[in-house]
Amino acid sequence: MNPEHFISRLELAAQPDAVRWARRHARDVLSLWHVSPDHIETAALVVSELVTNSVRHVIKAAPATGPVRVALILRHRGTHLIVEVGDPDVQPPVLHGLSAPKAESGRGLFIVESVSKEWGYYFPPTGGKVVWCSLTLVGE
């Protein structure tokens, strides 16, 4: 099986249990793609942080017009994995200063930055934003 161009997409309602389902989906898909267990756990951590941020901010900004969705996209490119989380919010992600040691939030993008090769965001032509990161799947 040559996983050089595998892609998975999952759409979820922007609600707290979306994080659990996104993490489970990532683990299942990456196992099917024969990604090593260590890399699967790193990817699950990144998925958890990005989806948590997305859901948290989308819920705050959501209009009362109906359910809001977030999208998780996994792209396996042989030597690396691209994780993307899209949502309808147009506010860019902000890497805040280090949180207080006992703070319960505020570390998500620091975690993503520390375990990924690179990360960023873009505004797709369809609206909203996509936050992404690249994880190395070889060596380490």
Side-chain angles (χ1 to χ4, degrees), residues 2 16-17 20 28 49-50 62 64 66 69 71 82 86 108 130 136 139-140:
N2 184 354
D17 70 344
R20 176 174 43 103
D28 290 347
E49 295 300 335
L50 293 180
R69 302 189 72 71
I82 306 296
V130 174
T136 302
E140 299 176 18

Side-chain angles (χ1 to χ4, degrees), residues 1-139:
M1 183 183 303
N2 184 354
E4 290 206 19
H5 297 288
F6 285 177
I7 298 173
S8 172
R9 180 179 176 92
L10 177 67
E11 298 243 352
L12 296 158
Q15 55 192 34
D17 70 344
V19 177
R20 176 174 43 103
W21 289 110
R23 194 173 41 242
R24 177 178 286 177
H25 176 79
R27 284 187 174 120
D28 290 347
V29 167
L30 297 178
S31 290
L32 287 172
W33 292 347
H34 302 288
V35 172
S36 76
D38 288 344
H39 294 304
I40 290 173
E41 289 309 308
T42 300
L45 173 64
V46 165
V47 164
S48 182
E49 295 300 335
L50 293 180
V51 173
T52 296
N53 286 348
S54 180
V55 167
R56 185 174 289 147
H57 291 95
V58 167
I59 287 174
K60 286 180 188 175
T65 58
V68 178
R69 302 189 72 71
V70 298
L72 168 64
I73 302 160
L74 304 172
R75 300 177 192 274
H76 192 306
R77 297 294 185 238
T79 60
H80 62 282
L81 175 74
I82 306 296
V83 176
E84 299 177 311
V85 175
D87 64 51
D89 186 17
V90 295
Q91 295 300 314
V94 177
L95 187 61
H96 295 287
L98 286 175
S99 300
K102 293 185 180 189
E104 293 184 17
S105 65
R107 294 184 188 89
L109 288 177
F110 277 110
I111 292 169
V112 171
E113 184 176 61
S114 70
V115 300
S116 63
K117 180 179 174 186
E118 59 185 332
W119 76 276
Y121 65 93
Y122 63 92
F123 300 105
T126 55
K129 76 170 170 310
V130 174
V131 181
W132 63 271
C133 72
S134 175
L135 302 173
T136 302
L137 297 178
V138 294

